[in-house]
Amino acid sequence: MSNYHPDSLSTLLPIYYKRLFPHGPFFRWLSYGNVDTRCFANREFSFTLEHDIYLRYQSFSNQEEFEKEIAKICPHKIDIGAVYSCRPKYRNQYVFQVIEKELVFDIDMTDYDDVRTCCSGADVCTKCWKFMVIACKIIDAALREDFGFQHILWVFSGRRGVHCWVCDESARKLNNLARPAIAEYLQVLSGGENQAKKVTLISPIHPSIQRALNFIEPLFDEVCIKDQDILGTDDRIRKFTALIPDDEFRNSVGTAMLSLRSSKERWQKFLQMYQSTSQKRNCKCLVEEIKLQYTYPRLDIHVTKGMNHLLKSPFCVHPKTGKICVPFNPKAVDKFDPTTVPTISTLIEEVGEYDDKQKKILGDADKARVKDYKKTSVYKNVNVFEEFVRNLEAIWKGKNVKIGISDQSMEF
Amino acid sequence: MNFLKTRRSKKAQVLVQYPCDLQLYKTPPTEEISLTDFDKYAINRLKVLRAMEQLTLKRTASTNDELKTALVAELKKQSLNGYAKLIQGNLGDSEDDILMRREDIASHFILRLVYCRTEDLRRWLLLRELDLFKLRWHCLAPAKRKQFLELNNLDYSVISDEDRNEAIMKSKGLVKHNTDYYKVHWSEVCDLVRSRKVFLMDGFAFITSSEIISVLTSHFRSHLAHCLSIAARKIDNIDDDTRLHPTLHNLHNAYAGESYAKTTSTDQISLESLEALSRKSFPLCMQQLHRTLRSEHHLRHGARQQYSLFLKGIGLSLEDAMTFWRSEFTKKMDVDKFDKNYAYNIRHNYGQEGKRTNYTPYSCNKIIMSSVGAGDQHGCPFRHNDQASLKSLLQTNGVSSADISEMMELVSKNNYQMACTKYFELKHGRELLDAIRHPNQYFSESVKTPAGNVAIAQTTANQKGAKGENKDPNKMDTGDDFGMKVVLTLKPWMPKLRHQMEKFKCSLLQFVRSLYMHICSVRQTAEKLHWISFASVYVKQKSGSILSVFIHPISAYKYCKYTARVEGETKVKLNFSDLKL
């Protein structure tokens, strides 16, 4: 893979936007079957240019206008905002209110800093990415099974997290009361810096959490005990035992653990002691609570709560890593590897290599009409995106026809 | 005869128009109301809502039944017997009862006019009416409940046995046998979803008949919110009516409670005094944020909002706020990054960016109810800290273990604000008339506490807390109060005093503090303080601020006697006979 350097971004972006950015499906996505033209035209876009120049409240009436502007200014980052009651450009002249907005979720690896030991801050590796895998599975299942949403787009955020866009019409129309409710429904960890134990379950365990536990169960040992080694040092043990509410039991677990060597042995010992202890009054679900605290998705719920919150667009290029914010299939999230996500420089090289090869085989005469992204490793991600857009359009198809017919009859 | 006839027809009319005790208030009254009634209705309903607010704030009543008993008692005390009856849901067919029903409806619509003007007023009315509605639903007899649901087209049908069996299987014990369930869209029961109290499947929530109130409140809320925003747009049309003007304009001022949005120019506080104030006059929630900011040089969004609006509320100017936040944040990041990512946020809170609203500081209720995620620093320490960290926080603030366990008791019963009130009283040595319901109220109460009291509470706290931490045995650092350092220097010629000092450390410190605060309270500039020189109080001045106060113990004694004589009462309560000078 070619090395990306942030300084080269400005020279690479014009080519990227011109040849690789999937403008077609992108426009089809945000116009939602074009039943209501306001969907795209009144949508707020925000651009970040070089040197952190920030342009808010941009809007475009169609794909052509959007493409032209992008090609002209080559933004380093594109953010997508809400759909407003008027064109954001004219927000000072008309009533300017949010009409609709996808329900979005943002999960960032930095929120896992107190449970991951392999990396911290902006770094991410295949070990700690497993937290994201668990998070994606749990949230995706909850959105589909509990809330009945179907059109969910998962996107790698370019560095250390994932974004989730729920695009069902009912989701886009949710108001300021429903969004916090769904956000908090999915926020099982509560209590801030000053509360060690962040999960307290009541019996019977809610089916949504039970399902989450089913996802966590097969991965917990691998992720937490083996990879993260959560009981590896005295410090980590202290953190762990702080989750045990009963003083006596906590102390005995603490001392027992210190006499053992590995995380695995210590965890086994804890399970064994918990099985046989009689002091379960305050902690009937302690094992489940601990597992949830270490692995349950940590959402940045402010992003979900607000109607007008901006979120980075899919297929943006992350300015620091050069990686493309690629959509991925949540069913195959186990196979997603953030470290091998193509960078903008890789893609542009790949296009060049492909063209060279074609030239050698076919000569100059024949210009194969292959879409440029198909020549690169971002191909499969565009396919995920296109499939998502196709599913979305399927619901509108019937409606479009109806509108078409009524339009015709109007002419007579 | 005529009289009776009109009364009877009125009764019939009310019955036809409003067949049910409980209302979603969808149809406004169309009959005539006298101006006296207009005023009376508005004030009475407001009294009810205020009483309700006080009770919910105190959180003494944990169940609906307790709340009902407490509210009914309170209303009877204020001789609002009609409302007491209305709330208990046992209005009959008598003349008065029917008229009460009429008053309920009319007064609700009058208050809509009074409270539609600003976002804050609308929110206040919405919350209060919602609470009242919930309580009234709770008190309503089953037959009347049924009638209400039918009248409002909310009579959902019970789900079939097959559906229930499927739900029972999938919900793993949450949905039970032998109970009737209703199926509603999840967004109609947001509060149940939020707290994960309901089983969801494919976007539908399975609720029991006792949970129907959740659907009702969401209807009630969205309907009232919608109506209030319409009223706000149209209120100008009736503003010209001089007969209604006084009631509509003045009523909410008299009753909405303080929002702490504005600070008068005299209340300005300076940046230098912030550190000292944070220890002396900040409630625990803000003190905790202040400390975190000082040590971490960063606060997350929720914490930033909570703290910066509080600071605005106590009178920190925008310029000072910017300096303050920048100086902390830039210890960890460069100025550029701060200006780009955080400065906007602070200006926004001061109404200088975006839609230019002057945002109000968070109330206790808002802070307590706020959701605090992993890693978040905001919230109410009594609510969001776990026992261990709350205990140690109280200990470092010099609260004795007996008092701590008393507070823990309150916390375990969810009386967070009472625990906070208790903390205030300990720190300030006086009782509060009202419970703490706003961090800014805590602050203003603290600032207006008479000097002597603070001194006593502070010194006892100091004595318990930081004992013998003085580096120089000849100097006693009293800590920086009011942003200035008060240093009591023991002259070598005071060996006797020094001995006594150790014994009565508290009294002397107390004296210095009280003296200092007295000086502050008479608002003398440093230069003018020479007038006290006869009492041998020297004030050293450096760059305009008072640096230290040196005291000759004998003169101090004199000074005390002097103040006692001059002011007729001992403002500085000291007993110097103990010192035996």
Side-chain angles (χ1 to χ4, degrees):
Chain A
M1 187 191 286
S2 65
N3 286 327
Y4 165 79
H5 194 274
D7 291 343
S8 62
L9 187 64
S10 296
T11 54
L12 297 173
L13 274 175
I15 315 169
Y16 175 75
Y17 283 127
K18 197 169 163 230
R19 301 187 60 178
L20 292 162
F21 189 88
H23 284 288
F26 186 82
F27 172 76
R28 275 161 50 213
W29 165 38
L30 292 179
S31 43
Y32 291 105
N34 238 338
V35 176
D36 185 347
T37 46
R38 289 184 303 176
C39 270
F40 191 83
N42 292 6
R43 168 82 67 172
E44 179 196 350
F45 292 95
S46 277
F47 298 136
T48 312
L49 309 183
E50 204 172 357
H51 308 301
D52 287 326
I53 297 163
Y54 208 54
L55 302 175
R56 271 202 78 169
Y57 300 118
Q58 309 293 305
S59 61
F60 308 94
S61 34
N62 51 42
Q63 185 184 345
E64 201 190 346
E65 215 181 292
F66 179 76
E67 250 185 281
K68 231 166 109 186
E69 184 70 8
I70 295 284
K72 200 174 97 195
I73 61 174
C74 285
H76 282 200
K77 190 171 148 223
I78 304 172
D79 283 298
I80 300 178
V83 177
Y84 289 89
S85 52
C86 74
R87 301 279 301 267
K89 268 186 200 166
Y90 310 128
R91 65 188 177 283
N92 297 324
Q93 296 161 32
Y94 303 100
V95 180
F96 186 61
Q97 280 170 337
V98 178
I99 316 181
E100 61 170 59
K101 164 76 197 294
E102 289 78 8
L103 177 71
V104 291
F105 296 91
D106 179 9
I107 312 171
D108 194 308
M109 200 51 116
T110 38
D111 288 322
Y112 287 78
D113 275 357
D114 67 320
V115 288
R116 62 176 179 158
T117 54
C118 52
C119 311
S120 70
D123 298 327
V124 65
C125 67
T126 43
K127 275 186 187 171
C128 51
W129 184 258
K130 287 172 187 165
F131 285 118
M132 285 292 150
V133 173
I134 294 175
C136 173
K137 286 180 173 179
I138 291 174
I139 301 291
D140 193 67
L143 290 173
R144 285 175 207 274
E145 292 170 30
D146 295 349
F147 293 94
F149 295 130
Q150 292 170 347
H151 301 282
I152 303 172
L153 181 70
W154 285 90
V155 183
F156 172 55
S157 74
R159 191 196 267 188
R160 53 176 181 209
V162 290
H163 296 160
C164 168
W165 298 76
V166 186
C167 304
D168 294 59
E169 191 182 4
S170 64
R172 285 182 280 136
K173 294 269 196 286
L174 289 175
N175 62 18
N176 271 331
L177 276 173
R179 284 172 204 253
I182 193 168
E184 283 173 34
Y185 178 87
L186 295 169
Q187 188 192 38
V188 172
L189 270 66
S190 65
E193 290 274 88
N194 299 304
Q195 189 172 327
K197 190 162 188 274
K198 294 185 170 54
V199 184
T200 308
L201 296 176
I202 39 167
S203 188
I205 297 177
H206 191 273
S208 173
I209 295 178
Q210 192 60 57
R211 183 180 49 227
L213 283 165
N214 293 344
F215 282 118
I216 293 168
E217 211 67 54
L219 290 166
F220 186 79
D221 281 4
E222 178 196 330
V223 176
C224 291
I225 308 301
K226 194 175 131 245
D227 289 351
Q228 299 299 335
D229 198 18
I230 55 165
L231 296 169
T233 65
D234 292 2
D235 213 35
R236 290 179 203 167
I237 293 178
R238 217 168 299 126
K239 239 181 187 172
F240 177 90
T241 50
L243 306 182
I244 302 171
D246 189 280
D247 287 337
E248 206 179 309
F249 184 51
R250 178 174 53 236
N251 292 336
S252 53
V253 169
T255 35
M257 278 190 177
L258 287 174
S259 64
L260 296 163
R261 262 171 297 149
S262 73
S263 265
K264 198 177 164 192
E265 284 169 356
R266 286 168 176 164
W267 173 246
Q268 290 304 335
K269 181 78 191 167
F270 164 72
L271 289 178
Q272 194 190 344
M273 287 176 77
Y274 179 70
Q275 282 273 308
S276 50
T277 184
S278 54
Q279 291 130 342
K280 277 187 196 164
R281 268 169 296 115
N282 303 321
C283 44
K284 278 191 189 127
C285 315
L286 186 60
V287 177
E288 286 83 2
E289 286 166 349
I290 288 172
K291 285 182 176 173
L292 290 168
Q293 170 140 2
Y294 275 95
T295 54
Y296 193 86
R298 296 167 176 223
L299 302 170
D300 181 353
I301 63 166
H302 302 289
V303 180
T304 310
K305 279 177 171 179
M307 286 276 274
N308 51 359
H309 212 289
L310 295 163
L311 194 65
K312 189 156 44 156
S313 159
F315 293 104
C316 257
V317 180
H318 193 287
K320 295 264 162 51
T321 60
K323 284 178 184 160
I324 315 292
C325 303
V326 288
F328 60 88
N329 183 351
K331 286 193 195 98
V333 62
D334 296 285
K335 297 188 193 87
F336 187 87
D337 181 355
T339 56
T340 59
V341 169
T343 66
I344 183 169
S345 13
T346 333
L347 293 186
I348 287 172
E349 261 172 41
E350 283 170 354
V351 174
E353 277 167 22
Y354 183 93
D355 286 351
D356 287 346
K357 227 189 259 169
Q358 288 295 307
K359 251 185 218 171
K360 271 178 203 160
I361 302 167
L362 302 165
D364 275 336
D366 193 273
K367 275 183 187 160
R369 291 264 166 230
V370 176
K371 280 185 183 157
D372 280 324
Y373 70 81
K374 289 193 177 165
K375 305 166 185 171
T376 67
S377 45
V378 83
Y379 182 37
K380 56 180 189 302
N381 302 102
V382 177
N383 277 347
V384 170
F385 187 54
E386 283 197 319
E387 194 195 332
F388 159 78
V389 175
R390 265 199 307 278
N391 288 338
L392 201 56
E393 281 172 339
I395 4 161
W396 300 106
K397 257 180 191 152
K399 264 193 185 176
N400 259 336
V401 172
K402 264 182 211 157
I403 290 163
I405 291 166
S406 64
D407 277 356
Q408 276 174 3
S409 60
M410 289 292 283
E411 280 175 31
F412 291 99
Chain B
M1 287 314 265
N2 213 354
F3 170 77
L4 252 179
K5 202 177 173 190
T6 48
R7 294 272 289 211
R8 193 164 296 156
S9 68
K10 199 175 246 173
K11 178 179 161 180
Q13 196 191 335
V14 174
L15 268 177
V16 169
Q17 217 178 342
Y18 312 111
C20 184
D21 281 348
L22 192 61
Q23 282 287 324
L24 283 178
Y25 304 105
K26 292 211 162 150
T27 16
T30 47
E31 56 202 304
E32 284 183 9
I33 287 178
S34 74
L35 280 173
T36 2
D37 275 354
F38 188 86
D39 283 1
K40 195 186 91 191
Y41 284 2
I43 290 169
N44 281 352
R45 191 177 191 89
L46 211 46
K47 281 184 186 162
V48 176
L49 296 182
R50 293 286 287 179
M52 188 82 194
E53 183 187 23
Q54 279 305 315
L55 287 174
T56 35
L57 280 186
K58 280 183 191 156
R59 292 165 199 279
T60 36
S62 51
T63 67
N64 275 325
D65 283 326
E66 281 170 34
L67 188 64
K68 177 177 112 186
T69 327
L71 185 64
V72 166
E74 178 64 34
L75 293 182
K76 283 193 175 149
K77 211 161 75 189
Q78 297 192 29
S79 49
L80 294 164
N81 291 326
Y83 272 105
K85 223 170 167 186
L86 182 75
I87 282 156
Q88 286 169 296
N90 45 16
L91 287 186
D93 286 339
S94 77
E95 193 75 37
D96 284 347
D97 286 0
I98 296 297
L99 287 177
M100 188 59 226
R101 197 182 277 183
R102 174 170 166 262
E103 178 178 340
D104 170 42
I105 289 145
S107 61
H108 171 85
F109 280 96
I110 297 170
L111 287 198
R112 278 194 195 177
L113 298 179
V114 178
Y115 279 86
C116 67
R117 273 166 221 276
T118 68
E119 182 67 44
D120 282 342
L121 291 175
R122 287 197 290 270
R123 196 183 311 132
W124 188 86
L125 183 69
L126 189 62
L127 287 177
R128 300 288 86 77
E129 283 285 347
L130 209 56
D131 283 347
L132 188 63
F133 178 82
K134 280 188 212 162
L135 184 66
R136 283 176 63 187
W137 169 262
H138 173 78
C139 302
L140 214 56
K144 285 187 177 177
R145 282 188 181 184
K146 199 161 177 286
Q147 183 199 14
F148 173 83
L149 292 175
E150 277 165 11
L151 283 169
N152 289 293
N153 287 327
L154 290 165
D155 47 339
Y156 297 96
S157 48
V158 177
I159 58 167
S160 68
D161 281 352
E162 294 105 84
D163 283 1
R164 187 174 62 192
N165 285 340
E166 191 194 347
I168 289 168
M169 206 182 68
K170 287 196 176 167
S171 74
K172 301 188 169 76
L174 204 65
V175 172
K176 292 179 185 70
H177 290 280
N178 310 325
T179 316
D180 284 345
Y181 280 90
Y182 305 85
K183 206 168 148 182
V184 296
H185 192 257
W186 71 268
S187 60
E188 286 189 273
V189 285
C190 283
D191 50 336
L192 296 179
V193 171
R194 180 191 299 263
S195 50
R196 247 174 278 115
K197 279 189 185 136
V198 66
F199 172 60
L200 294 182
M201 193 169 77
D202 283 337
F204 288 95
F206 290 74
I207 58 169
T208 62
S209 54
S210 63
E211 286 165 337
I212 279 209
I213 181 63
S214 182
V215 183
L216 299 183
T217 46
S218 75
H219 275 272
F220 187 88
R221 178 197 286 270
S222 61
H223 178 69
L224 186 53
H226 178 68
C227 290
L228 282 172
S229 67
I230 290 177
R233 260 182 271 153
K234 298 197 170 161
I235 188 77
D236 292 341
N237 298 350
I238 58 162
D239 251 5
D240 301 337
D241 194 327
T242 46
R243 296 169 308 163
L244 305 180
H245 195 274
T247 313
L248 294 187
H249 275 265
N250 300 329
L251 205 57
H252 66 257
N253 290 338
Y255 284 99
E258 182 120 40
S259 75
Y260 299 96
K262 291 186 198 92
T263 43
T264 48
S265 54
T266 48
D267 288 345
Q268 291 272 337
I269 61 152
S270 69
L271 199 50
E272 296 77 49
S273 57
L274 198 60
E275 186 65 39
L277 280 174
S278 80
R279 255 174 272 158
K280 193 184 77 75
S281 293
F282 280 19
L284 267 186
C285 51
M286 300 301 166
Q287 212 182 82
Q288 183 167 287
L289 290 178
H290 185 83
R291 275 192 206 154
T292 318
L293 178 63
R294 287 281 197 210
S295 59
E296 306 272 321
H297 311 301
H298 189 268
L299 286 182
R300 297 174 66 143
H301 180 78
R304 240 161 35 225
Q305 288 298 95
Q306 182 180 328
Y307 191 42
S308 99
L309 288 172
F310 168 77
L311 289 178
K312 186 180 86 167
I314 63 168
L316 191 70
S317 68
L318 174 60
E319 294 73 41
D320 281 351
M322 279 307 233
T323 324
F324 173 65
W325 290 95
R326 187 180 289 125
S327 69
E328 281 305 326
F329 272 54
T330 49
K331 282 174 188 157
K332 247 181 141 180
M333 60 181 68
D334 50 41
V335 183
D336 226 32
K337 190 172 176 200
F338 173 83
D339 285 346
K340 234 173 261 157
N341 298 341
Y342 301 96
Y344 179 90
N345 191 201
I346 292 157
R347 282 199 302 275
H348 193 258
N349 283 347
Y350 277 80
Q352 298 296 317
E353 297 279 0
K355 60 176 172 176
R356 295 184 178 264
T357 322
N358 198 8
Y359 291 93
T360 44
Y362 292 178
S363 65
C364 288
N365 234 7
K366 178 157 182 161
I367 294 171
I368 289 170
M369 303 303 279
S370 67
S371 76
V372 178
D376 279 344
Q377 304 129 329
H378 63 276
C380 165
F382 295 104
R383 165 74 180 81
H384 296 107
N385 285 25
D386 56 23
Q387 275 208 9
S389 89
L390 179 58
K391 265 185 196 160
S392 78
L393 183 67
L394 289 170
Q395 266 159 9
T396 47
N397 275 296
V399 181
S400 72
S401 48
D403 290 328
I404 289 183
S405 55
E406 199 178 318
M407 284 185 202
M408 287 302 182
E409 183 73 24
L410 287 168
V411 168
S412 65
K413 286 182 192 151
N414 300 345
N415 285 328
Y416 314 115
Q417 283 157 294
M418 293 311 281
C420 187
T421 311
K422 169 92 187 154
Y423 176 76
F424 179 96
E425 291 172 350
L426 283 173
K427 287 280 274 191
H428 296 79
R430 73 183 176 99
E431 287 196 6
L432 283 176
L433 290 173
D434 274 342
I436 297 288
R437 58 195 150 71
H438 201 297
N440 291 70
Q441 172 209 3
Y442 183 106
F443 179 80
S444 58
E445 284 288 349
S446 168
V447 177
K448 75 180 179 216
T449 301
N453 278 343
V454 180
I456 293 162
Q458 286 274 315
T459 33
T460 26
N462 270 7
Q463 204 187 19
K464 281 174 187 167
K467 213 170 203 174
E469 283 178 0
N470 301 307
K471 285 169 201 154
D472 185 347
N474 285 328
K475 274 192 180 170
M476 295 193 57
D477 195 340
T478 63
D480 50 356
D481 252 353
F482 297 99
M484 294 159 211
K485 218 157 196 150
V486 182
V487 180
L488 181 70
T489 307
L490 299 177
K491 299 281 187 227
W493 45 264
M494 301 189 214
K496 191 176 176 192
L497 177 72
R498 198 156 148 198
H499 171 73
Q500 296 288 348
M501 280 282 299
E502 261 143 38
K503 211 168 158 192
F504 300 101
K505 189 167 147 191
C506 162
S507 331
L508 199 57
L509 273 178
Q510 186 182 328
F511 170 73
V512 177
R513 280 161 186 275
S514 317
L515 178 64
Y516 180 68
M517 282 174 216
H518 183 74
I519 294 166
C520 289
S521 71
V522 294
R523 293 187 187 279
Q524 293 292 332
T525 60
E527 284 89 349
K528 284 185 190 165
L529 278 172
H530 289 298
W531 68 274
I532 324 181
S533 65
F534 74 89
S536 298
V537 176
Y538 301 103
V539 178
K540 270 196 181 173
Q541 202 196 11
K542 192 179 173 187
S543 67
S545 62
I546 302 166
L547 269 189
S548 42
V549 184
F550 299 95
I551 295 171
H552 189 291
I554 295 170
S555 326
Y557 180 54
K558 276 188 194 161
Y559 174 77
C560 268
K561 283 178 87 177
Y562 169 77
T563 43
R565 189 163 48 82
V566 171
E567 299 184 357
E569 54 161 337
T570 40
K571 209 173 185 181
V572 204
K573 281 180 197 155
L574 282 175
N575 188 355
F576 264 75
S577 54
D578 282 344
L579 280 170
K580 288 186 188 107
L581 298 166

